[in-house]
Amino acid sequence: MTALKAGDKFPEDVVFSQVNTLSFRKENSDVTACGIPINYNASKEFAGKKVVLFAVPGAFTPGCSARHLPPYIEKLPALKSKGVDIVACIAFNDAWVMSAWGKANGVKGDGILFLSDPETAFSKSIGWTQGERTSRYALVIDDGIVTYAEKEPGREVTVSGAEAVIVKL
């Protein structure tokens, strides 16, 4: 369990779970519509790209829904203008809950990926958990190298928020 830091290589074999939002169609756009979870090989998908990965303790929780996710949605164009290819949110919740949270917040297609960290395997591997939940943190990965890695020191959204990440891009 070693926390990631700037300059580290993003680990190999990091796999999250997602409901395939790239096949987002009108008939499955309802928040209650379910898809089939699939593996998302982050190590492979992030290769050669600039990625912002932020983690929240839980989808649909007050702090995550009111203070952490909305600025990422609002600032998505600013993130993309800084060369970010992928913005992804992870939590300990399963892929269905993460998909529903994205839909409930009006995120369509691949604007922000909502990924499950199954059994918090990735977050545990870097030592950033809150009990059985993911901690609140943010990573910037550029072509496989971590350029920013910060875990919140408390309950507020400071170093892992969209504003803090944009400054570091």
Side-chain angles (χ1 to χ4, degrees):
M1 269 195 277
T2 303
L4 290 174
K5 63 187 180 313
D8 287 348
K9 186 174 190 265
F10 188 73
E12 294 183 21
D13 301 323
V14 174
V15 177
F16 299 121
S17 178
Q18 77 169 139
V19 172
N20 189 355
T21 56
L22 296 178
S23 63
F24 197 87
R25 298 186 310 261
K26 186 176 181 180
E27 63 267 19
N28 68 2
S29 64
D30 184 81
V31 73
T32 61
C34 296
I36 308 268
I38 59 172
N39 285 339
Y40 181 87
N41 185 329
S43 302
K44 178 182 169 192
E45 297 296 330
F46 293 176
K49 296 180 178 131
K50 184 182 281 190
V51 178
V52 171
L53 175 68
F54 68 101
V56 298
F60 292 106
T61 59
C64 302
S65 293
R67 295 188 318 270
H68 209 165
L69 177 60
Y72 275 100
I73 295 169
E74 294 163 15
K75 298 194 181 306
L76 187 59
L79 290 161
K80 297 289 186 170
S81 76
K82 296 270 191 174
V84 173
D85 300 298
I86 297 171
V87 178
C89 176
I90 65 169
F92 89 105
N93 302 93
D94 66 38
W96 289 291
V97 171
M98 293 302 289
S99 175
W101 194 39
K103 291 174 186 178
N105 281 281
V107 179
K108 294 183 169 78
D110 62 349
I112 297 175
L113 299 177
F114 289 84
L115 306 171
S116 171
D117 185 2
E119 299 177 17
T120 59
F122 173 71
S123 297
K124 284 178 183 174
S125 78
I126 63 171
W128 286 357
T129 58
Q130 293 178 317
E132 290 304 309
R133 293 178 178 256
T134 48
S135 287
R136 191 180 303 282
Y137 61 87
L139 303 172
V140 176
I141 304 118
D142 194 351
D143 195 20
I145 303 298
V146 175
T147 61
Y148 180 78
E150 291 291 337
K151 177 181 171 276
E152 291 295 346
R155 296 179 56 90
E156 296 303 313
V157 178
T158 58
V159 297
S160 68
E163 296 85 0
V165 170
I166 287 171
V167 169
K168 298 298 182 177
L169 291 172

